[in-house]
Amino acid sequence: MSYLVIIIAAILANNIIFMQFLGICPFLGVSKKISTAVGMTGAVAFVMVLATIVTYLIQKSVLDPLGLGVLQTISFILVIASLVQLVEIVLKKVSPALYQALGVFLPLITTNCAILGVALLTIQYEYNLLEGVVFAFASAIGFGLAISLFAGLREHLDLVNIPKGMKGTPIALIVAGILAMAFMGFTGLV
């Protein structure tokens, strides 16, 4: 499969948030400011790519040869949680500035279903390791695009006059729905 097709599909046509409906919790919770959305995107991209590599290797070298495919989900969850903890420890020692910059985003990634979803989709789509890494990185870019667009719109909504009953979560959900419909326009692209 062409890497360009994987990239375009993961970013636009099959966006992890709007088309796969994965990662909705950070999408709604961390999207009040563009700066926090960008920080979350960087952390998600790093962990998503690393988790995809490790889970792919575990799937192909342990689970498939031993016929333990039924343990895929639980083993992937354990791997992702362990990776996030390992990344947190290493960053704290190696780069305290980056650790401080990511702050609360690293522990939040442990419960981000988009990470698990991309790892599972990599196996389901039967990608090889390089295609899986490209897919994971492009999915992270798609996640970042969605959350950054939404954060920008939410910042703008704070500046306009909105009826009292629509402020906050109601208008945010309406905007999210409109964004999802806009991304549906990319469905036939690839």
Side-chain angles (χ1 to χ4, degrees), residues 12 111 138 182:
L12 298 174
T111 59

Side-chain angles (χ1 to χ4, degrees), residues 6-7 14 26 32 34 41 49 54 63 65 69 89 93 95 98 123 126 137 140 145-146 148 176 179 188:
I6 293 172
I7 291 168
N14 293 324
K32 292 183 180 175
I34 293 177
T41 299
V49 170
V54 173
L63 298 178
I89 291 168
K93 297 264 185 206
S95 179
L98 182 58
I123 302 301
E126 298 179 357
F137 186 72
L145 175 65
S148 297
L179 272 174

Side-chain angles (χ1 to χ4, degrees), residues 22-46:
L22 298 171
I24 299 296
C25 183
F27 174 71
L28 293 173
V30 189
S31 62
K32 292 183 180 175
K33 293 187 178 183
I34 293 177
S35 60
T36 56
V38 170
M40 184 63 156
T41 299
V44 164
F46 181 73

Side-chain angles (χ1 to χ4, degrees), residues 135-168:
F135 174 67
F137 186 72
S139 293
I141 297 298
F143 176 88
L145 175 65
I147 198 169
S148 297
L149 283 171
F150 190 54
L153 289 170
R154 286 182 80 174
E155 283 184 1
H156 181 71
L157 287 173
D158 290 340
L159 303 174
V160 297
N161 189 14
I162 298 172
K164 185 177 178 182
M166 294 297 291
K167 287 189 183 224

Side-chain angles (χ1 to χ4, degrees), residues 2-16 19 134-135 138-139 141-142 145 183 186-190:
S2 169
Y3 294 108
L4 184 60
V5 171
I6 293 172
I7 291 168
I8 292 171
I11 294 173
L12 298 174
N14 293 324
N15 185 283
I16 199 78
M19 303 311 270
V134 168
F135 174 67
S139 293
I141 297 298
L145 175 65
F183 270 74
F186 295 114
T187 303
L189 191 60
V190 288

